[in-house]
Amino acid sequence: MPTTIKKKPTGRGTTKQSFKFKSKVIVWGGNPHDHSAWRFARVPERVSAKIKKMQEGRMRRGWGAVYAHALIRESEWQTSIFPDRHSATYVLPLKKSVRKAEGLYDDMEIKVSMDVWF
């Protein structure tokens, strides 16, 4: 069953951009046997660079987070993406309810549609 979490968009900015990309489900910390570990999708470097450019001169949120609305297959949710300090990318948190609803598993390639705003 698809997961839809509807919330009123937060944030004061009007700058909004849509992106579509492919990524893989990754385990934060690298231990796939840790079922409580966070799962993420990396936002590709070219998309991350565009988002960083959009963010220039703007007040940064905690940890450099950027508001996001994500869609994978039939599931959509509001979240934030975060810069990865180990690479030139942002990471998109993948909620457990979304992973379960869409049958996502570690290292699986996924298609993501995402809106970001500031």
Side-chain angles (χ1 to χ4, degrees), residues 20-51:
K20 290 185 179 186
F21 56 89
K22 290 181 183 178
S23 188
K24 284 191 175 184
V25 177
I26 60 170
V27 181
W28 199 253
N31 182 358
H33 301 293
D34 183 356
H35 297 289
S36 65
W38 285 82
R39 271 43 179 195
F40 292 88
R42 284 196 191 284
V43 178
E45 283 187 28
R46 65 177 172 71
V47 174
S48 292
K50 288 179 184 179
I51 295 169

PDB file of all heavy atoms in Angstrom, residues 20-51:
ATOM      1  N   LYS A  20      14.568  15.006 -11.006  1.00  0.00           N
ATOM      2  CA  LYS A  20      14.337  13.572 -11.146  1.00  0.00           C
ATOM      3  C   LYS A  20      15.706  12.927 -11.300  1.00  0.00           C
ATOM      4  O   LYS A  20      16.551  13.431 -12.038  1.00  0.00           O
ATOM      5  CB  LYS A  20      13.474  13.251 -12.362  1.00  0.00           C
ATOM      6  CG  LYS A  20      12.042  13.698 -12.201  1.00  0.00           C
ATOM      7  CD  LYS A  20      11.197  13.259 -13.370  1.00  0.00           C
ATOM      8  CE  LYS A  20       9.762  13.732 -13.120  1.00  0.00           C
ATOM      9  NZ  LYS A  20       8.845  13.234 -14.118  1.00  0.00           N
ATOM     10  N   PHE A  21      15.916  11.816 -10.589  1.00  0.00           N
ATOM     11  CA  PHE A  21      17.209  11.155 -10.663  1.00  0.00           C
ATOM     12  C   PHE A  21      17.086   9.699 -10.222  1.00  0.00           C
ATOM     13  O   PHE A  21      16.081   9.301  -9.634  1.00  0.00           O
ATOM     14  CB  PHE A  21      18.246  11.886  -9.800  1.00  0.00           C
ATOM     15  CG  PHE A  21      17.865  12.042  -8.350  1.00  0.00           C
ATOM     16  CD1 PHE A  21      18.178  11.066  -7.406  1.00  0.00           C
ATOM     17  CD2 PHE A  21      17.207  13.186  -7.921  1.00  0.00           C
ATOM     18  CE1 PHE A  21      17.834  11.228  -6.073  1.00  0.00           C
ATOM     19  CE2 PHE A  21      16.855  13.354  -6.587  1.00  0.00           C
ATOM     20  CZ  PHE A  21      17.177  12.374  -5.664  1.00  0.00           C
ATOM     21  N   LYS A  22      18.120   8.937 -10.524  1.00  0.00           N
ATOM     22  CA  LYS A  22      18.236   7.560 -10.056  1.00  0.00           C
ATOM     23  C   LYS A  22      19.271   7.528  -8.951  1.00  0.00           C
ATOM     24  O   LYS A  22      20.241   8.286  -8.967  1.00  0.00           O
ATOM     25  CB  LYS A  22      18.678   6.632 -11.188  1.00  0.00           C
ATOM     26  CG  LYS A  22      17.632   6.428 -12.248  1.00  0.00           C
ATOM     27  CD  LYS A  22      18.135   5.483 -13.315  1.00  0.00           C
ATOM     28  CE  LYS A  22      17.105   5.334 -14.428  1.00  0.00           C
ATOM     29  NZ  LYS A  22      17.596   4.465 -15.501  1.00  0.00           N
ATOM     30  N   SER A  23      19.057   6.639  -8.002  1.00  0.00           N
ATOM     31  CA  SER A  23      19.986   6.483  -6.892  1.00  0.00           C
ATOM     32  C   SER A  23      19.887   5.057  -6.384  1.00  0.00           C
ATOM     33  O   SER A  23      19.128   4.250  -6.938  1.00  0.00           O
ATOM     34  CB  SER A  23      19.650   7.483  -5.778  1.00  0.00           C
ATOM     35  OG  SER A  23      20.639   7.470  -4.776  1.00  0.00           O
ATOM     36  N   LYS A  24      20.637   4.748  -5.348  1.00  0.00           N
ATOM     37  CA  LYS A  24      20.563   3.441  -4.705  1.00  0.00           C
ATOM     38  C   LYS A  24      20.239   3.629  -3.235  1.00  0.00           C
ATOM     39  O   LYS A  24      20.618   4.632  -2.630  1.00  0.00           O
ATOM     40  CB  LYS A  24      21.895   2.694  -4.833  1.00  0.00           C
ATOM     41  CG  LYS A  24      22.121   2.110  -6.193  1.00  0.00           C
ATOM     42  CD  LYS A  24      23.311   1.184  -6.165  1.00  0.00           C
ATOM     43  CE  LYS A  24      23.445   0.507  -7.526  1.00  0.00           C
ATOM     44  NZ  LYS A  24      24.526  -0.463  -7.524  1.00  0.00           N
ATOM     45  N   VAL A  25      19.563   2.654  -2.672  1.00  0.00           N
ATOM     46  CA  VAL A  25      19.286   2.644  -1.239  1.00  0.00           C
ATOM     47  C   VAL A  25      20.594   2.302  -0.531  1.00  0.00           C
ATOM     48  O   VAL A  25      21.213   1.281  -0.824  1.00  0.00           O
ATOM     49  CB  VAL A  25      18.193   1.617  -0.885  1.00  0.00           C
ATOM     50  CG1 VAL A  25      17.970   1.571   0.621  1.00  0.00           C
ATOM     51  CG2 VAL A  25      16.896   1.930  -1.627  1.00  0.00           C
ATOM     52  N   ILE A  26      21.031   3.188   0.372  1.00  0.00           N
ATOM     53  CA  ILE A  26      22.255   2.936   1.128  1.00  0.00           C
ATOM     54  C   ILE A  26      21.945   2.855   2.619  1.00  0.00           C
ATOM     55  O   ILE A  26      20.979   3.451   3.091  1.00  0.00           O
ATOM     56  CB  ILE A  26      23.326   4.007   0.869  1.00  0.00           C
ATOM     57  CG1 ILE A  26      22.833   5.403   1.266  1.00  0.00           C
ATOM     58  CG2 ILE A  26      23.791   3.990  -0.585  1.00  0.00           C
ATOM     59  CD1 ILE A  26      23.916   6.470   1.267  1.00  0.00           C
ATOM     60  N   VAL A  27      22.765   2.110   3.331  1.00  0.00           N
ATOM     61  CA  VAL A  27      22.630   1.964   4.785  1.00  0.00           C
ATOM     62  C   VAL A  27      23.594   2.940   5.439  1.00  0.00           C
ATOM     63  O   VAL A  27      24.785   2.929   5.134  1.00  0.00           O
ATOM     64  CB  VAL A  27      22.976   0.527   5.239  1.00  0.00           C
ATOM     65  CG1 VAL A  27      22.802   0.389   6.746  1.00  0.00           C
ATOM     66  CG2 VAL A  27      22.149  -0.492   4.489  1.00  0.00           C
ATOM     67  N   TRP A  28      23.083   3.791   6.315  1.00  0.00           N
ATOM     68  CA  TRP A  28      23.950   4.725   7.009  1.00  0.00           C
ATOM     69  C   TRP A  28      24.748   3.957   8.044  1.00  0.00           C
ATOM     70  O   TRP A  28      24.188   3.260   8.860  1.00  0.00           O
ATOM     71  CB  TRP A  28      23.130   5.814   7.686  1.00  0.00           C
ATOM     72  CG  TRP A  28      23.962   6.998   8.003  1.00  0.00           C
ATOM     73  CD1 TRP A  28      24.393   7.390   9.241  1.00  0.00           C
ATOM     74  CD2 TRP A  28      24.482   7.950   7.078  1.00  0.00           C
ATOM     75  NE1 TRP A  28      25.141   8.524   9.121  1.00  0.00           N
ATOM     76  CE2 TRP A  28      25.217   8.884   7.805  1.00  0.00           C
ATOM     77  CE3 TRP A  28      24.397   8.088   5.702  1.00  0.00           C
ATOM     78  CZ2 TRP A  28      25.861   9.965   7.204  1.00  0.00           C
ATOM     79  CZ3 TRP A  28      25.037   9.152   5.101  1.00  0.00           C
ATOM     80  CH2 TRP A  28      25.748  10.069   5.845  1.00  0.00           C
ATOM     81  N   GLY A  29      26.037   4.033   7.964  1.00  0.00           N
ATOM     82  CA  GLY A  29      26.901   3.289   8.868  1.00  0.00           C
ATOM     83  C   GLY A  29      27.402   2.010   8.226  1.00  0.00           C
ATOM     84  O   GLY A  29      28.323   1.384   8.719  1.00  0.00           O
ATOM     85  N   GLY A  30      26.786   1.599   7.128  1.00  0.00           N
ATOM     86  CA  GLY A  30      27.291   0.490   6.330  1.00  0.00           C
ATOM     87  C   GLY A  30      26.978  -0.909   6.810  1.00  0.00           C
ATOM     88  O   GLY A  30      27.390  -1.873   6.186  1.00  0.00           O
ATOM     89  N   ASN A  31      26.246  -1.075   7.909  1.00  0.00           N
ATOM     90  CA  ASN A  31      25.946  -2.415   8.400  1.00  0.00           C
ATOM     91  C   ASN A  31      24.543  -2.833   7.961  1.00  0.00           C
ATOM     92  O   ASN A  31      23.554  -2.481   8.599  1.00  0.00           O
ATOM     93  CB  ASN A  31      26.060  -2.477   9.920  1.00  0.00           C
ATOM     94  CG  ASN A  31      25.800  -3.869  10.479  1.00  0.00           C
ATOM     95  OD1 ASN A  31      25.489  -4.798   9.740  1.00  0.00           O
ATOM     96  ND2 ASN A  31      25.936  -4.005  11.779  1.00  0.00           N
ATOM     97  N   PRO A  32      24.421  -3.612   6.883  1.00  0.00           N
ATOM     98  CA  PRO A  32      23.096  -3.995   6.376  1.00  0.00           C
ATOM     99  C   PRO A  32      22.324  -4.914   7.332  1.00  0.00           C
ATOM    100  O   PRO A  32      21.123  -5.076   7.183  1.00  0.00           O
ATOM    101  CB  PRO A  32      23.407  -4.712   5.063  1.00  0.00           C
ATOM    102  CG  PRO A  32      24.815  -5.158   5.183  1.00  0.00           C
ATOM    103  CD  PRO A  32      25.506  -4.170   6.084  1.00  0.00           C
ATOM    104  N   HIS A  33      22.999  -5.477   8.317  1.00  0.00           N
ATOM    105  CA  HIS A  33      22.323  -6.363   9.271  1.00  0.00           C
ATOM    106  C   HIS A  33      21.671  -5.581  10.405  1.00  0.00           C
ATOM    107  O   HIS A  33      20.904  -6.143  11.175  1.00  0.00           O
ATOM    108  CB  HIS A  33      23.307  -7.388   9.829  1.00  0.00           C
ATOM    109  CG  HIS A  33      23.932  -8.229   8.755  1.00  0.00           C
ATOM    110  ND1 HIS A  33      23.211  -9.125   7.998  1.00  0.00           N
ATOM    111  CD2 HIS A  33      25.194  -8.254   8.285  1.00  0.00           C
ATOM    112  CE1 HIS A  33      24.007  -9.688   7.111  1.00  0.00           C
ATOM    113  NE2 HIS A  33      25.220  -9.176   7.256  1.00  0.00           N
ATOM    114  N   ASP A  34      21.983  -4.290  10.487  1.00  0.00           N
ATOM    115  CA  ASP A  34      21.385  -3.426  11.495  1.00  0.00           C
ATOM    116  C   ASP A  34      20.070  -2.892  10.945  1.00  0.00           C
ATOM    117  O   ASP A  34      20.037  -1.919  10.209  1.00  0.00           O
ATOM    118  CB  ASP A  34      22.333  -2.280  11.851  1.00  0.00           C
ATOM    119  CG  ASP A  34      21.782  -1.388  12.953  1.00  0.00           C
ATOM    120  OD1 ASP A  34      20.631  -1.601  13.393  1.00  0.00           O
ATOM    121  OD2 ASP A  34      22.505  -0.469  13.359  1.00  0.00           O
ATOM    122  N   HIS A  35      18.982  -3.552  11.287  1.00  0.00           N
ATOM    123  CA  HIS A  35      17.672  -3.177  10.740  1.00  0.00           C
ATOM    124  C   HIS A  35      17.162  -1.843  11.282  1.00  0.00           C
ATOM    125  O   HIS A  35      16.226  -1.275  10.732  1.00  0.00           O
ATOM    126  CB  HIS A  35      16.653  -4.282  10.996  1.00  0.00           C
ATOM    127  CG  HIS A  35      17.027  -5.552  10.305  1.00  0.00           C
ATOM    128  ND1 HIS A  35      16.950  -5.691   8.932  1.00  0.00           N
ATOM    129  CD2 HIS A  35      17.521  -6.715  10.773  1.00  0.00           C
ATOM    130  CE1 HIS A  35      17.362  -6.891   8.589  1.00  0.00           C
ATOM    131  NE2 HIS A  35      17.726  -7.537   9.687  1.00  0.00           N
ATOM    132  N   SER A  36      17.790  -1.347  12.352  1.00  0.00           N
ATOM    133  CA  SER A  36      17.380  -0.052  12.882  1.00  0.00           C
ATOM    134  C   SER A  36      18.184   1.093  12.267  1.00  0.00           C
ATOM    135  O   SER A  36      17.884   2.253  12.519  1.00  0.00           O
ATOM    136  CB  SER A  36      17.544  -0.032  14.408  1.00  0.00           C
ATOM    137  OG  SER A  36      18.914  -0.156  14.757  1.00  0.00           O
ATOM    138  N   ALA A  37      19.194   0.773  11.449  1.00  0.00           N
ATOM    139  CA  ALA A  37      20.013   1.818  10.823  1.00  0.00           C
ATOM    140  C   ALA A  37      19.187   2.596   9.805  1.00  0.00           C
ATOM    141  O   ALA A  37      18.300   2.050   9.150  1.00  0.00           O
ATOM    142  CB  ALA A  37      21.233   1.194  10.143  1.00  0.00           C
ATOM    143  N   TRP A  38      19.510   3.865   9.660  1.00  0.00           N
ATOM    144  CA  TRP A  38      18.841   4.715   8.687  1.00  0.00           C
ATOM    145  C   TRP A  38      19.195   4.273   7.282  1.00  0.00           C
ATOM    146  O   TRP A  38      20.303   3.822   7.020  1.00  0.00           O
ATOM    147  CB  TRP A  38      19.280   6.165   8.880  1.00  0.00           C
ATOM    148  CG  TRP A  38      18.657   6.819  10.065  1.00  0.00           C
ATOM    149  CD1 TRP A  38      19.073   6.721  11.368  1.00  0.00           C
ATOM    150  CD2 TRP A  38      17.509   7.652  10.072  1.00  0.00           C
ATOM    151  NE1 TRP A  38      18.247   7.463  12.167  1.00  0.00           N
ATOM    152  CE2 TRP A  38      17.285   8.044  11.401  1.00  0.00           C
ATOM    153  CE3 TRP A  38      16.658   8.115   9.067  1.00  0.00           C
ATOM    154  CZ2 TRP A  38      16.233   8.880  11.753  1.00  0.00           C
ATOM    155  CZ3 TRP A  38      15.617   8.946   9.431  1.00  0.00           C
ATOM    156  CH2 TRP A  38      15.414   9.324  10.761  1.00  0.00           C
ATOM    157  N   ARG A  39      18.255   4.429   6.368  1.00  0.00           N
ATOM    158  CA  ARG A  39      18.486   4.193   4.939  1.00  0.00           C
ATOM    159  C   ARG A  39      18.302   5.519   4.215  1.00  0.00           C
ATOM    160  O   ARG A  39      17.414   6.311   4.554  1.00  0.00           O
ATOM    161  CB  ARG A  39      17.494   3.177   4.374  1.00  0.00           C
ATOM    162  CG  ARG A  39      17.843   1.710   4.428  1.00  0.00           C
ATOM    163  CD  ARG A  39      18.431   1.237   5.656  1.00  0.00           C
ATOM    164  NE  ARG A  39      18.708  -0.220   5.619  1.00  0.00           N
ATOM    165  CZ  ARG A  39      18.964  -0.907   6.691  1.00  0.00           C
ATOM    166  NH1 ARG A  39      18.970  -0.330   7.879  1.00  0.00           N
ATOM    167  NH2 ARG A  39      19.241  -2.196   6.612  1.00  0.00           N
ATOM    168  N   PHE A  40      19.149   5.749   3.215  1.00  0.00           N
ATOM    169  CA  PHE A  40      19.135   6.992   2.453  1.00  0.00           C
ATOM    170  C   PHE A  40      19.291   6.694   0.978  1.00  0.00           C
ATOM    171  O   PHE A  40      19.692   5.599   0.587  1.00  0.00           O
ATOM    172  CB  PHE A  40      20.312   7.899   2.867  1.00  0.00           C
ATOM    173  CG  PHE A  40      20.219   8.460   4.246  1.00  0.00           C
ATOM    174  CD1 PHE A  40      20.723   7.759   5.333  1.00  0.00           C
ATOM    175  CD2 PHE A  40      19.644   9.698   4.473  1.00  0.00           C
ATOM    176  CE1 PHE A  40      20.649   8.278   6.621  1.00  0.00           C
ATOM    177  CE2 PHE A  40      19.564  10.225   5.751  1.00  0.00           C
ATOM    178  CZ  PHE A  40      20.071   9.513   6.825  1.00  0.00           C
ATOM    179  N   ALA A  41      19.018   7.706   0.176  1.00  0.00           N
ATOM    180  CA  ALA A  41      19.369   7.698  -1.245  1.00  0.00           C
ATOM    181  C   ALA A  41      20.269   8.915  -1.450  1.00  0.00           C
ATOM    182  O   ALA A  41      19.956  10.003  -0.959  1.00  0.00           O
ATOM    183  CB  ALA A  41      18.131   7.804  -2.120  1.00  0.00           C
ATOM    184  N   ARG A  42      21.378   8.712  -2.140  1.00  0.00           N
ATOM    185  CA  ARG A  42      22.259   9.846  -2.445  1.00  0.00           C
ATOM    186  C   ARG A  42      21.668  10.658  -3.596  1.00  0.00           C
ATOM    187  O   ARG A  42      21.241  10.107  -4.597  1.00  0.00           O
ATOM    188  CB  ARG A  42      23.636   9.360  -2.877  1.00  0.00           C
ATOM    189  CG  ARG A  42      24.480   8.892  -1.750  1.00  0.00           C
ATOM    190  CD  ARG A  42      25.946   8.794  -2.150  1.00  0.00           C
ATOM    191  NE  ARG A  42      26.673   8.092  -1.127  1.00  0.00           N
ATOM    192  CZ  ARG A  42      27.028   8.620   0.036  1.00  0.00           C
ATOM    193  NH1 ARG A  42      26.732   9.867   0.304  1.00  0.00           N
ATOM    194  NH2 ARG A  42      27.672   7.909   0.937  1.00  0.00           N
ATOM    195  N   VAL A  43      21.664  11.962  -3.415  1.00  0.00           N
ATOM    196  CA  VAL A  43      21.283  12.863  -4.496  1.00  0.00           C
ATOM    197  C   VAL A  43      22.532  12.997  -5.366  1.00  0.00           C
ATOM    198  O   VAL A  43      23.600  13.322  -4.850  1.00  0.00           O
ATOM    199  CB  VAL A  43      20.828  14.229  -3.936  1.00  0.00           C
ATOM    200  CG1 VAL A  43      20.479  15.179  -5.060  1.00  0.00           C
ATOM    201  CG2 VAL A  43      19.647  14.046  -2.973  1.00  0.00           C
ATOM    202  N   PRO A  44      22.453  12.715  -6.662  1.00  0.00           N
ATOM    203  CA  PRO A  44      23.655  12.745  -7.516  1.00  0.00           C
ATOM    204  C   PRO A  44      24.421  14.067  -7.412  1.00  0.00           C
ATOM    205  O   PRO A  44      23.834  15.119  -7.136  1.00  0.00           O
ATOM    206  CB  PRO A  44      23.097  12.550  -8.931  1.00  0.00           C
ATOM    207  CG  PRO A  44      21.790  11.865  -8.728  1.00  0.00           C
ATOM    208  CD  PRO A  44      21.246  12.387  -7.432  1.00  0.00           C
ATOM    209  N   GLU A  45      25.715  13.998  -7.679  1.00  0.00           N
ATOM    210  CA  GLU A  45      26.581  15.178  -7.559  1.00  0.00           C
ATOM    211  C   GLU A  45      26.093  16.349  -8.400  1.00  0.00           C
ATOM    212  O   GLU A  45      26.106  17.488  -7.941  1.00  0.00           O
ATOM    213  CB  GLU A  45      28.021  14.828  -7.934  1.00  0.00           C
ATOM    214  CG  GLU A  45      28.742  14.073  -6.845  1.00  0.00           C
ATOM    215  CD  GLU A  45      30.218  13.879  -7.143  1.00  0.00           C
ATOM    216  OE1 GLU A  45      30.816  14.704  -7.861  1.00  0.00           O
ATOM    217  OE2 GLU A  45      30.773  12.894  -6.628  1.00  0.00           O
ATOM    218  N   ARG A  46      25.646  16.086  -9.645  1.00  0.00           N
ATOM    219  CA  ARG A  46      25.212  17.197 -10.507  1.00  0.00           C
ATOM    220  C   ARG A  46      23.972  17.888  -9.926  1.00  0.00           C
ATOM    221  O   ARG A  46      23.857  19.108  -9.967  1.00  0.00           O
ATOM    222  CB  ARG A  46      24.964  16.718 -11.934  1.00  0.00           C
ATOM    223  CG  ARG A  46      23.832  15.739 -12.070  1.00  0.00           C
ATOM    224  CD  ARG A  46      23.541  15.308 -13.502  1.00  0.00           C
ATOM    225  NE  ARG A  46      22.573  14.242 -13.532  1.00  0.00           N
ATOM    226  CZ  ARG A  46      21.280  14.367 -13.251  1.00  0.00           C
ATOM    227  NH1 ARG A  46      20.778  15.536 -12.948  1.00  0.00           N
ATOM    228  NH2 ARG A  46      20.479  13.321 -13.292  1.00  0.00           N
ATOM    229  N   VAL A  47      23.051  17.122  -9.368  1.00  0.00           N
ATOM    230  CA  VAL A  47      21.847  17.695  -8.747  1.00  0.00           C
ATOM    231  C   VAL A  47      22.235  18.397  -7.446  1.00  0.00           C
ATOM    232  O   VAL A  47      21.784  19.514  -7.178  1.00  0.00           O
ATOM    233  CB  VAL A  47      20.781  16.608  -8.499  1.00  0.00           C
ATOM    234  CG1 VAL A  47      19.598  17.167  -7.737  1.00  0.00           C
ATOM    235  CG2 VAL A  47      20.334  15.986  -9.819  1.00  0.00           C
ATOM    236  N   SER A  48      23.091  17.761  -6.652  1.00  0.00           N
ATOM    237  CA  SER A  48      23.546  18.369  -5.399  1.00  0.00           C
ATOM    238  C   SER A  48      24.237  19.702  -5.655  1.00  0.00           C
ATOM    239  O   SER A  48      24.039  20.664  -4.905  1.00  0.00           O
ATOM    240  CB  SER A  48      24.488  17.410  -4.661  1.00  0.00           C
ATOM    241  OG  SER A  48      23.792  16.271  -4.202  1.00  0.00           O
ATOM    242  N   ALA A  49      25.030  19.784  -6.713  1.00  0.00           N
ATOM    243  CA  ALA A  49      25.723  21.032  -7.054  1.00  0.00           C
ATOM    244  C   ALA A  49      24.717  22.137  -7.373  1.00  0.00           C
ATOM    245  O   ALA A  49      24.903  23.294  -6.968  1.00  0.00           O
ATOM    246  CB  ALA A  49      26.671  20.808  -8.225  1.00  0.00           C
ATOM    247  N   LYS A  50      23.657  21.795  -8.097  1.00  0.00           N
ATOM    248  CA  LYS A  50      22.617  22.788  -8.414  1.00  0.00           C
ATOM    249  C   LYS A  50      21.928  23.279  -7.143  1.00  0.00           C
ATOM    250  O   LYS A  50      21.646  24.468  -6.992  1.00  0.00           O
ATOM    251  CB  LYS A  50      21.586  22.193  -9.371  1.00  0.00           C
ATOM    252  CG  LYS A  50      22.107  22.006 -10.772  1.00  0.00           C
ATOM    253  CD  LYS A  50      21.057  21.398 -11.667  1.00  0.00           C
ATOM    254  CE  LYS A  50      21.612  21.120 -13.064  1.00  0.00           C
ATOM    255  NZ  LYS A  50      20.617  20.495 -13.948  1.00  0.00           N
ATOM    256  N   ILE A  51      21.641  22.350  -6.230  1.00  0.00           N
ATOM    257  CA  ILE A  51      20.977  22.718  -4.973  1.00  0.00           C
ATOM    258  C   ILE A  51      21.898  23.606  -4.141  1.00  0.00           C
ATOM    259  O   ILE A  51      21.465  24.620  -3.586  1.00  0.00           O
ATOM    260  CB  ILE A  51      20.539  21.459  -4.199  1.00  0.00           C
ATOM    261  CG1 ILE A  51      19.469  20.706  -4.995  1.00  0.00           C
ATOM    262  CG2 ILE A  51      20.034  21.832  -2.804  1.00  0.00           C
ATOM    263  CD1 ILE A  51      19.146  19.321  -4.462  1.00  0.00           C
TER     264      ILE A  51
END
